[in-house]
Amino acid sequence: MSLATPVRFSTLPCKDKAAIAIITGLAVFVRLYKIWQPSSVVFDEVHFGGFASKYIKGAYFMDVHPPLAKLLITLTGWLSGFDGQFDFKDIGKDYVTAGVPYVAMRLLPGLLGVMVIPLCFLTLKAYGCSRLSASIGALFILFDNALATQSRFILLDSPLIFFTALTAYAWVNFQNQTAFTRHWYWYLFLTGLSLGATVSVKWVGLFTIAWVGVGTLIGLWDLLGDLSVTPGQYAKHFFLRAVFLILVPVLFYLGMFAIHFICLVNPGDGDGFMSSEFQNSLNNKGMADTPANVAVGSHITLRHLNTQGGYLHSHDHLYPGGSQQQQITLYPHKDSNNVWLIENVTESEIDYRETGPRYLKDGDWIRLQHVVTSRRLHSHDIRPSVTEADWQNEASCYGYEGFGGDANDNFRVEIVESKTKPGKAREQVRAIETKFRLIHQMTGCALFSHKVKLPSWGFEQQEVTCAKQGTLPNSIWYIEHNEHPLLDASEDKVNYPKISFWQKFSELQKVMWDTNNGLVASHTWDSRPESWPWLRRGINFWVKDHRQIYLLGNFFTWWLTSLAIVVYSVFVFIVVLRWQRGYKDYYAPAVKDYSWKVGSNVVGWALHYFPFFLMQRQLFLHHYLPALYFAVLAFVVGFDIFCKTVLKRRLLVVVVSSVLVLGSISVYVTMSPLIYGEKWTKDECNRLKVLPHWDFDCNAFYADKSMYENGNSGKSRLEEAIEKASERLSASNSEELHKASETHAGEEEEYVQVYEEHDEL
Amino acid sequence: MSSTGVNGSSTQPRLRKGRADAAPNKQVEEVKVHNFAEEEDITIEAVEKVIAPIFFTVLAFLTRMYKIGVSDIVTWDEAHFGKFGSHYLKREFYFDVHPPLGKMLVGLSGFLCGYNGSFEFKSGDHYPPEVNYTFMRVFNATFGALCVPVAYFTAKSLKFSTAATWLVTLMVLCENSYATISRFILLDSMLMLFTFTTFLGLAKFHTYRTKPFTIGWWFWMLFTGFNIGCVTSVKWVGMLTTALVGIYTIQELWEKFGDLKMPFATYMKHWAARIICLIIVPMAIYMLSFKLHFMILENSGPGDAQMSSLFQANLKNSPLTKGPLDVAFGSKVTVKNMGYGGGLLHSHVQTYPEGSEQQQVTCYHHKDTNNDWVFVPVRTDAPYDHEGEIRYVKSGDKVRLIHDMTGRNLHSHNIAAPMTKNEWEVSCYGNDTVGDDKDNWIVEVVKDTHRDKKVHTLTSTLRFRNEPLGCYLRAANVALPQWGFKQIEVACAPDTVVWDRFTHWNIEQHTNDRLPPAEATSYRSPFLRDFVHLNVAMMTSNNALVPDPDKRDDLASRPWQWPVLNVGLRMCGWGNDTVKYYLLGNPIVVWSSTASLGIFALLTFIYICRWKRQYRDMTREQFEYYVYSGLYPALGWALHYFPFILMARVTYVHHYLPALYFAIMTFGFLFDYITSRVFGKLTYILRPVSYVFAYAAVVGVFWLFSPISFGLTGDHEDYSYLNWLSTWTI
């Protein structure tokens, strides 16, 4: 594809600069108009505002998105004096009384949203578009309701789209440069850098990487056919692209996580997602060294290796089903109910106090006595209450004080060599270093746990069973804390190994990936990808005081750009068919231009759109916005070629362009109350329900604008009820993750409760 | 996207003639030498054509049937497929994820040896004397043995040299996994044979490419289509073979589309011929196998529940009674969801713990009186009168559904459903007098075999629309938590489409004393509907064969393990007194074929890059030979391998067997290609030597590993010398 001449802002004609200035000025107004309104928490500000306060406090948290945008938001908040003492807990929570500098924090996404508009103009110029066409594209982006709404709040999408647009700008310009010149290097570097930034905002940036990757491969393929390029030069081309387009983004991405870990040094609500080694690296969370050698008579705590469920736990509550014996669970917090006493099965009569410590070895038979209740870990041929699989046995706690135990209490220690530190720990059980299975004597099953929560009767703690065919990783345990009366301070001690940046990084990536895939529950405002290009339904962001914010695109733009993609696909289909029949359409420069330049953007659109079909997780309309950006570029580039080859006459071009711009503006203006949360009336609102699925709540508005001045006195009881209902709906907006953290918080309360109960014992 | 290259090549074509010509000249010489040789050996050639296939076939029967009856234990999946065969003999309806042809053939083998279908085929059991399992196994092994001559003829059709043809045939013959799996009552030998014959058809058809519409052309296309039908009727994996034929056909039609000399009518004739032979014929065979399946299995059996209520009612001895045909107000009915795995509309006195906290409504598979509902008029109409005129329920009528046991109305309201948050909750509320218009449902008949607008038992497909809310009653297999006893959630979907199966319901049981019983002919179930239903059910339950991530499964394996052969499969118990079989490929065959795929990919990549750099390495004929004899088998391997990586379902070693065949073909091609090029002047001596060496290696390793195919007897420790890799468990 041969693009037009290189475009740089400094070399643009004055008229272009003027156009950019005017449109950007307009953008400042459109994007930042009343950005302080509403003065309460909107939609996912719940998360991203919350993360900012956690960064400032340094409290470790877990989120499915990489850190860049959240760090930027934190930075603006911190610079404007935010102290992190606001929890952003619910949609609609008031900022003003709490003194949160939310306007400054919103300005970051807002200003990045403004910057997208000149970038769009320059990118279109680089594609060889006329000033008029480039302006149309910039105005389409400018007057898109969804982009305007999304960039007004503390959300990640505006930074994401900014960096995507920056990548597109740099990449298109790179292709216009002569190889190995200064500008060629600069734009190659900028492409790599902005790719790194995009993927450091959201993993959706991987689609942008794929787009640049496809372009690179095509470019290298063309270069291969150019016989004037020597193999040496070709290797240089190849190598430089690898450095700038692979190495630079990777380093940038790693750098962001390095900053992330530097910021989050204290324990927080994200600990539960991470491994023990990881948690041990956080301030105040590290544990004291513990004696290494485990012996009969040791008081120990046992941890499950593969999940973060925590310690083997029992408490004075019974299973409601099955054997109705005492529950065995995994519990993530330190508690006296996690403590077990190791008893020897074969030599139970021998008092180790006289014979000296008898160290625990591979193959020893033991019983584990729960110290608080004096019952023993037990298993039998009864199905567990929750996972009723035929290969699972219940694990319970059975017995009473003075009871000697029975054969169903016997477990064999079996060291798993591949997971255990080489050396002594493979022969003798050592705290932390030795990983082992506990095999039940009578049934041959192994003590097992997996990520399944018990219902409320088990305080939503993690299920523990004894599994005959459990996977190995889920059957592995180790001793974290070890105490023995005969082992004094001089014993050799162990602790968790120090964890390196690489280990932290790779562990976090895996946790993010798994958590992301786990977000599958349905959500009131989620939608599937097939509904996006025709704008079937929006998202309710916020409803309060008879005002409403609802994310919905500019349907004029959306439908037009979707149509442009359909037109392009049909066009290519016909041209390819004709090409096979020997027609020489490709000799016409307009056809070639259309195929390549629009094609590049259609591929960009497709790569940012189709992968969503493969995702099982909950999806929202705003996931389409990066694809929309490419769809707009595709439309405008195509329109520009259409003007130059078909319309031709200046007057005609101006008329058609004006119609397009006016169409876009008029939709923007009429729907704008939903962007800014402005006054509106029921009738105006109802009139604009163009599609039946647009479910913004017109009943939330007054019948007449004058009622806004009268304030609450005009509220009927019915309206109040409706308002409450809508608030409830919007309150359910927060994503599953938020729910997870909420329930987590709830659990902790319950844990505390349980703990107190135990204290009484 | 940078176009400097495109411009450069179009304006200044700089063919590097010197180098491009050098290679073909050499080729021509070689071909000439080869031709002389052929003329001299012409009698030998003719003899070879007859003797070699017979020789290989005899060996194939020997290797596949040697000691076939020595183990009298139900081995591996004989437990399934033997049992399914029995169902054909007992004529009881069963359900399975595989299409019926293979299992009907198993049934046929049982029928031929006089087996009556009474044996249960429990895994690890001994066969009773009345079951002639040896005959049934021989029947299966015949399919496995025939694979060998098919491989021979395929290699010939791909224009392999005689030496390479022998190599490929030997590799198929001496492939331990093929020999092992063909010996039991399984579907794999049939699947393999039909896969191989499909590819044979394609290869033969290709040789007629320049002679369209001749008898041979028609025959081999029809042959290919017939075998596509058979292979897909054995297992759906046959679709992958079909895809290979599909790609070939599209490519051929695309080339013909570019042939400007071909008249339009001829081109259309090409299309029509392929649509008939490669689409309609296979479809017909596939459907015929299902038609036979339904005709044979006429009695009620273990698979009833997977079928529609209407189908079940038509099976002999079915517990479903055929109630009166037309449904009227006052009728007591059970309502079944028609989506896959749908249960009966159910309610019980327990209430929702959240939302409205009214009485729960669920879908439930167990049959009890809590599934009974009564059709009652809405409150604005005249109330139901037991003595009055019978009022039939018609499409579009407003009704209330009253839960018979609790007397409450089926109800919905603007409260999010407990699991599916973007649909409304459905509950049971009020009684005959207490309630509102949200108890009113509009019955819509979507489909029916009877064309009056009345609602009928079993035959009508219904949707229930809530009158004020406009939402549709829907149950989409989302399980409720413990408080709902893990039954299926029922919700009201405000936004759904008419073809959404989860909103479709039918009346299953119907009692009404005032209506006459239905005529015998009223409940006929159309074949096409059953056919589609069964296929959807098969697909859904195939996709549901997802392994439990917490459970250790020693038999399953991951696709990446197959080409590197680091895993085998114990097909039976491993005690010292049983005859043991271990499913493992011939290591030499598997490893060399895998290596050949990598080398072939690399070679192709180099050729493409050289082509882009304007080198012309091949003549037209050489190019076509490379594509059709090398690239297509490699493509066949890719098509039979990569889809398994994407599949979520549990996968086993034997899923690699069809792919392995294509890998072997690629190896044969590459071995021939390389040995005729790299040795230079010494080709005449080194090439035969390398072939002899290859033959010896393949046969020798097969011989070494033959105990795992013919049965390991005695202590398994005696064979530990075969555990070449630590992951093998012989």
PDB file of all heavy atoms in Angstrom, chain A residues 433-454:
ATOM      1  N   GLU A 433       9.188 -26.454  53.433  1.00  0.00           N
ATOM      2  CA  GLU A 433       9.956 -27.026  52.316  1.00  0.00           C
ATOM      3  C   GLU A 433       9.341 -28.320  51.783  1.00  0.00           C
ATOM      4  O   GLU A 433       9.371 -28.581  50.580  1.00  0.00           O
ATOM      5  CB  GLU A 433      11.388 -27.303  52.770  1.00  0.00           C
ATOM      6  CG  GLU A 433      12.158 -26.018  53.029  1.00  0.00           C
ATOM      7  CD  GLU A 433      13.491 -26.291  53.695  1.00  0.00           C
ATOM      8  OE1 GLU A 433      13.791 -27.456  54.007  1.00  0.00           O
ATOM      9  OE2 GLU A 433      14.239 -25.318  53.910  1.00  0.00           O
ATOM     10  N   THR A 434       8.787 -29.145  52.673  1.00  0.00           N
ATOM     11  CA  THR A 434       8.278 -30.438  52.237  1.00  0.00           C
ATOM     12  C   THR A 434       6.817 -30.297  51.805  1.00  0.00           C
ATOM     13  O   THR A 434       5.996 -29.752  52.530  1.00  0.00           O
ATOM     14  CB  THR A 434       8.360 -31.462  53.376  1.00  0.00           C
ATOM     15  OG1 THR A 434       9.691 -31.498  53.837  1.00  0.00           O
ATOM     16  CG2 THR A 434       7.937 -32.829  52.894  1.00  0.00           C
ATOM     17  N   LYS A 435       6.529 -30.793  50.611  1.00  0.00           N
ATOM     18  CA  LYS A 435       5.145 -30.827  50.142  1.00  0.00           C
ATOM     19  C   LYS A 435       4.728 -32.297  50.130  1.00  0.00           C
ATOM     20  O   LYS A 435       5.474 -33.151  49.643  1.00  0.00           O
ATOM     21  CB  LYS A 435       5.030 -30.242  48.733  1.00  0.00           C
ATOM     22  CG  LYS A 435       5.714 -28.876  48.562  1.00  0.00           C
ATOM     23  CD  LYS A 435       4.977 -27.781  49.283  1.00  0.00           C
ATOM     24  CE  LYS A 435       5.487 -26.387  48.920  1.00  0.00           C
ATOM     25  NZ  LYS A 435       6.719 -25.981  49.573  1.00  0.00           N
ATOM     26  N   PHE A 436       3.568 -32.572  50.680  1.00  0.00           N
ATOM     27  CA  PHE A 436       3.194 -33.988  50.818  1.00  0.00           C
ATOM     28  C   PHE A 436       1.700 -34.188  50.618  1.00  0.00           C
ATOM     29  O   PHE A 436       0.918 -33.236  50.629  1.00  0.00           O
ATOM     30  CB  PHE A 436       3.624 -34.512  52.191  1.00  0.00           C
ATOM     31  CG  PHE A 436       3.086 -33.711  53.346  1.00  0.00           C
ATOM     32  CD1 PHE A 436       1.837 -33.989  53.882  1.00  0.00           C
ATOM     33  CD2 PHE A 436       3.823 -32.665  53.895  1.00  0.00           C
ATOM     34  CE1 PHE A 436       1.343 -33.242  54.940  1.00  0.00           C
ATOM     35  CE2 PHE A 436       3.329 -31.910  54.942  1.00  0.00           C
ATOM     36  CZ  PHE A 436       2.085 -32.199  55.468  1.00  0.00           C
ATOM     37  N   ARG A 437       1.365 -35.454  50.406  1.00  0.00           N
ATOM     38  CA  ARG A 437      -0.054 -35.830  50.361  1.00  0.00           C
ATOM     39  C   ARG A 437      -0.377 -36.577  51.645  1.00  0.00           C
ATOM     40  O   ARG A 437       0.507 -37.164  52.286  1.00  0.00           O
ATOM     41  CB  ARG A 437      -0.324 -36.756  49.178  1.00  0.00           C
ATOM     42  CG  ARG A 437      -0.068 -36.103  47.839  1.00  0.00           C
ATOM     43  CD  ARG A 437      -0.785 -36.823  46.733  1.00  0.00           C
ATOM     44  NE  ARG A 437      -0.340 -38.210  46.589  1.00  0.00           N
ATOM     45  CZ  ARG A 437      -1.058 -39.137  45.953  1.00  0.00           C
ATOM     46  NH1 ARG A 437      -2.233 -38.840  45.436  1.00  0.00           N
ATOM     47  NH2 ARG A 437      -0.600 -40.368  45.824  1.00  0.00           N
ATOM     48  N   LEU A 438      -1.642 -36.583  52.026  1.00  0.00           N
ATOM     49  CA  LEU A 438      -2.090 -37.345  53.179  1.00  0.00           C
ATOM     50  C   LEU A 438      -3.052 -38.410  52.669  1.00  0.00           C
ATOM     51  O   LEU A 438      -4.149 -38.097  52.207  1.00  0.00           O
ATOM     52  CB  LEU A 438      -2.788 -36.434  54.190  1.00  0.00           C
ATOM     53  CG  LEU A 438      -1.850 -35.512  54.978  1.00  0.00           C
ATOM     54  CD1 LEU A 438      -2.637 -34.515  55.798  1.00  0.00           C
ATOM     55  CD2 LEU A 438      -0.936 -36.338  55.881  1.00  0.00           C
ATOM     56  N   ILE A 439      -2.600 -39.668  52.723  1.00  0.00           N
ATOM     57  CA  ILE A 439      -3.394 -40.761  52.168  1.00  0.00           C
ATOM     58  C   ILE A 439      -4.155 -41.458  53.293  1.00  0.00           C
ATOM     59  O   ILE A 439      -3.558 -41.870  54.293  1.00  0.00           O
ATOM     60  CB  ILE A 439      -2.494 -41.793  51.460  1.00  0.00           C
ATOM     61  CG1 ILE A 439      -1.560 -41.097  50.474  1.00  0.00           C
ATOM     62  CG2 ILE A 439      -3.339 -42.856  50.783  1.00  0.00           C
ATOM     63  CD1 ILE A 439      -2.229 -40.527  49.274  1.00  0.00           C
ATOM     64  N   HIS A 440      -5.432 -41.590  53.105  1.00  0.00           N
ATOM     65  CA  HIS A 440      -6.290 -42.202  54.115  1.00  0.00           C
ATOM     66  C   HIS A 440      -6.076 -43.712  54.093  1.00  0.00           C
ATOM     67  O   HIS A 440      -6.099 -44.336  53.029  1.00  0.00           O
ATOM     68  CB  HIS A 440      -7.754 -41.854  53.805  1.00  0.00           C
ATOM     69  CG  HIS A 440      -8.687 -42.247  54.898  1.00  0.00           C
ATOM     70  ND1 HIS A 440      -9.741 -43.083  54.673  1.00  0.00           N
ATOM     71  CD2 HIS A 440      -8.716 -41.921  56.203  1.00  0.00           C
ATOM     72  CE1 HIS A 440     -10.393 -43.255  55.815  1.00  0.00           C
ATOM     73  NE2 HIS A 440      -9.804 -42.557  56.751  1.00  0.00           N
ATOM     74  N   GLN A 441      -5.908 -44.307  55.267  1.00  0.00           N
ATOM     75  CA  GLN A 441      -5.537 -45.716  55.322  1.00  0.00           C
ATOM     76  C   GLN A 441      -6.643 -46.631  54.814  1.00  0.00           C
ATOM     77  O   GLN A 441      -6.389 -47.541  54.026  1.00  0.00           O
ATOM     78  CB  GLN A 441      -5.182 -46.101  56.760  1.00  0.00           C
ATOM     79  CG  GLN A 441      -4.694 -47.524  56.868  1.00  0.00           C
ATOM     80  CD  GLN A 441      -4.278 -47.866  58.289  1.00  0.00           C
ATOM     81  OE1 GLN A 441      -4.682 -47.219  59.243  1.00  0.00           O
ATOM     82  NE2 GLN A 441      -3.441 -48.863  58.425  1.00  0.00           N
ATOM     83  N   MET A 442      -7.869 -46.399  55.241  1.00  0.00           N
ATOM     84  CA  MET A 442      -8.928 -47.361  54.968  1.00  0.00           C
ATOM     85  C   MET A 442      -9.442 -47.288  53.533  1.00  0.00           C
ATOM     86  O   MET A 442      -9.821 -48.298  52.954  1.00  0.00           O
ATOM     87  CB  MET A 442     -10.104 -47.150  55.931  1.00  0.00           C
ATOM     88  CG  MET A 442      -9.726 -47.227  57.387  1.00  0.00           C
ATOM     89  SD  MET A 442      -9.032 -48.834  57.824  1.00  0.00           S
ATOM     90  CE  MET A 442     -10.520 -49.805  57.959  1.00  0.00           C
ATOM     91  N   THR A 443      -9.500 -46.095  52.961  1.00  0.00           N
ATOM     92  CA  THR A 443     -10.106 -45.971  51.625  1.00  0.00           C
ATOM     93  C   THR A 443      -9.093 -45.618  50.549  1.00  0.00           C
ATOM     94  O   THR A 443      -9.413 -45.665  49.368  1.00  0.00           O
ATOM     95  CB  THR A 443     -11.199 -44.882  51.632  1.00  0.00           C
ATOM     96  OG1 THR A 443     -10.585 -43.672  52.054  1.00  0.00           O
ATOM     97  CG2 THR A 443     -12.335 -45.243  52.548  1.00  0.00           C
ATOM     98  N   GLY A 444      -7.874 -45.270  50.949  1.00  0.00           N
ATOM     99  CA  GLY A 444      -6.843 -44.943  49.960  1.00  0.00           C
ATOM    100  C   GLY A 444      -7.014 -43.574  49.318  1.00  0.00           C
ATOM    101  O   GLY A 444      -6.305 -43.235  48.379  1.00  0.00           O
ATOM    102  N   CYS A 445      -7.966 -42.795  49.814  1.00  0.00           N
ATOM    103  CA  CYS A 445      -8.173 -41.481  49.200  1.00  0.00           C
ATOM    104  C   CYS A 445      -7.155 -40.480  49.759  1.00  0.00           C
ATOM    105  O   CYS A 445      -6.536 -40.730  50.790  1.00  0.00           O
ATOM    106  CB  CYS A 445      -9.589 -40.992  49.435  1.00  0.00           C
ATOM    107  SG  CYS A 445     -10.010 -40.805  51.164  1.00  0.00           S
ATOM    108  N   ALA A 446      -6.970 -39.359  49.070  1.00  0.00           N
ATOM    109  CA  ALA A 446      -6.007 -38.346  49.499  1.00  0.00           C
ATOM    110  C   ALA A 446      -6.765 -37.092  49.926  1.00  0.00           C
ATOM    111  O   ALA A 446      -7.736 -36.700  49.273  1.00  0.00           O
ATOM    112  CB  ALA A 446      -5.048 -38.012  48.365  1.00  0.00           C
ATOM    113  N   LEU A 447      -6.308 -36.482  51.012  1.00  0.00           N
ATOM    114  CA  LEU A 447      -6.933 -35.242  51.482  1.00  0.00           C
ATOM    115  C   LEU A 447      -6.837 -34.206  50.366  1.00  0.00           C
ATOM    116  O   LEU A 447      -5.770 -34.000  49.786  1.00  0.00           O
ATOM    117  CB  LEU A 447      -6.229 -34.740  52.749  1.00  0.00           C
ATOM    118  CG  LEU A 447      -7.022 -33.702  53.545  1.00  0.00           C
ATOM    119  CD1 LEU A 447      -8.258 -34.326  54.168  1.00  0.00           C
ATOM    120  CD2 LEU A 447      -6.151 -33.081  54.639  1.00  0.00           C
ATOM    121  N   PHE A 448      -7.956 -33.535  50.088  1.00  0.00           N
ATOM    122  CA  PHE A 448      -8.109 -32.811  48.832  1.00  0.00           C
ATOM    123  C   PHE A 448      -8.904 -31.536  49.082  1.00  0.00           C
ATOM    124  O   PHE A 448      -9.778 -31.504  49.945  1.00  0.00           O
ATOM    125  CB  PHE A 448      -8.878 -33.741  47.878  1.00  0.00           C
ATOM    126  CG  PHE A 448      -9.195 -33.182  46.528  1.00  0.00           C
ATOM    127  CD1 PHE A 448      -8.301 -33.300  45.479  1.00  0.00           C
ATOM    128  CD2 PHE A 448     -10.411 -32.561  46.288  1.00  0.00           C
ATOM    129  CE1 PHE A 448      -8.603 -32.813  44.230  1.00  0.00           C
ATOM    130  CE2 PHE A 448     -10.719 -32.064  45.040  1.00  0.00           C
ATOM    131  CZ  PHE A 448      -9.811 -32.198  44.008  1.00  0.00           C
ATOM    132  N   SER A 449      -8.589 -30.493  48.327  1.00  0.00           N
ATOM    133  CA  SER A 449      -9.457 -29.323  48.360  1.00  0.00           C
ATOM    134  C   SER A 449      -9.453 -28.684  46.988  1.00  0.00           C
ATOM    135  O   SER A 449      -8.515 -28.863  46.212  1.00  0.00           O
ATOM    136  CB  SER A 449      -8.976 -28.318  49.409  1.00  0.00           C
ATOM    137  OG  SER A 449      -9.868 -27.229  49.437  1.00  0.00           O
ATOM    138  N   HIS A 450     -10.501 -27.974  46.669  1.00  0.00           N
ATOM    139  CA  HIS A 450     -10.590 -27.291  45.374  1.00  0.00           C
ATOM    140  C   HIS A 450     -11.399 -26.017  45.545  1.00  0.00           C
ATOM    141  O   HIS A 450     -12.000 -25.797  46.604  1.00  0.00           O
ATOM    142  CB  HIS A 450     -11.194 -28.209  44.303  1.00  0.00           C
ATOM    143  CG  HIS A 450     -12.484 -28.846  44.717  1.00  0.00           C
ATOM    144  ND1 HIS A 450     -13.251 -29.601  43.887  1.00  0.00           N
ATOM    145  CD2 HIS A 450     -13.157 -28.824  45.893  1.00  0.00           C
ATOM    146  CE1 HIS A 450     -14.320 -30.027  44.524  1.00  0.00           C
ATOM    147  NE2 HIS A 450     -14.288 -29.577  45.737  1.00  0.00           N
ATOM    148  N   LYS A 451     -11.448 -25.201  44.512  1.00  0.00           N
ATOM    149  CA  LYS A 451     -12.082 -23.888  44.647  1.00  0.00           C
ATOM    150  C   LYS A 451     -13.600 -24.006  44.651  1.00  0.00           C
ATOM    151  O   LYS A 451     -14.272 -23.556  43.732  1.00  0.00           O
ATOM    152  CB  LYS A 451     -11.626 -22.978  43.510  1.00  0.00           C
ATOM    153  CG  LYS A 451     -10.240 -22.430  43.737  1.00  0.00           C
ATOM    154  CD  LYS A 451      -9.856 -21.399  42.719  1.00  0.00           C
ATOM    155  CE  LYS A 451      -8.483 -20.844  43.042  1.00  0.00           C
ATOM    156  NZ  LYS A 451      -7.853 -20.180  41.943  1.00  0.00           N
ATOM    157  N   VAL A 452     -14.134 -24.650  45.649  1.00  0.00           N
ATOM    158  CA  VAL A 452     -15.589 -24.746  45.794  1.00  0.00           C
ATOM    159  C   VAL A 452     -15.914 -24.262  47.194  1.00  0.00           C
ATOM    160  O   VAL A 452     -15.313 -24.701  48.168  1.00  0.00           O
ATOM    161  CB  VAL A 452     -16.061 -26.203  45.595  1.00  0.00           C
ATOM    162  CG1 VAL A 452     -17.514 -26.349  45.970  1.00  0.00           C
ATOM    163  CG2 VAL A 452     -15.830 -26.640  44.160  1.00  0.00           C
ATOM    164  N   LYS A 453     -16.843 -23.312  47.267  1.00  0.00           N
ATOM    165  CA  LYS A 453     -17.188 -22.744  48.565  1.00  0.00           C
ATOM    166  C   LYS A 453     -18.331 -23.532  49.178  1.00  0.00           C
ATOM    167  O   LYS A 453     -19.261 -23.937  48.477  1.00  0.00           O
ATOM    168  CB  LYS A 453     -17.652 -21.290  48.380  1.00  0.00           C
ATOM    169  CG  LYS A 453     -16.574 -20.380  47.844  1.00  0.00           C
ATOM    170  CD  LYS A 453     -15.933 -19.591  48.948  1.00  0.00           C
ATOM    171  CE  LYS A 453     -14.776 -18.844  48.383  1.00  0.00           C
ATOM    172  NZ  LYS A 453     -13.777 -18.343  49.116  1.00  0.00           N
ATOM    173  N   LEU A 454     -18.263 -23.713  50.490  1.00  0.00           N
ATOM    174  CA  LEU A 454     -19.406 -24.288  51.183  1.00  0.00           C
ATOM    175  C   LEU A 454     -20.494 -23.218  51.275  1.00  0.00           C
ATOM    176  O   LEU A 454     -20.197 -22.027  51.252  1.00  0.00           O
ATOM    177  CB  LEU A 454     -18.981 -24.720  52.592  1.00  0.00           C
ATOM    178  CG  LEU A 454     -17.936 -25.835  52.647  1.00  0.00           C
ATOM    179  CD1 LEU A 454     -17.518 -26.081  54.075  1.00  0.00           C
ATOM    180  CD2 LEU A 454     -18.486 -27.114  52.043  1.00  0.00           C
TER     181      LEU A 454
END
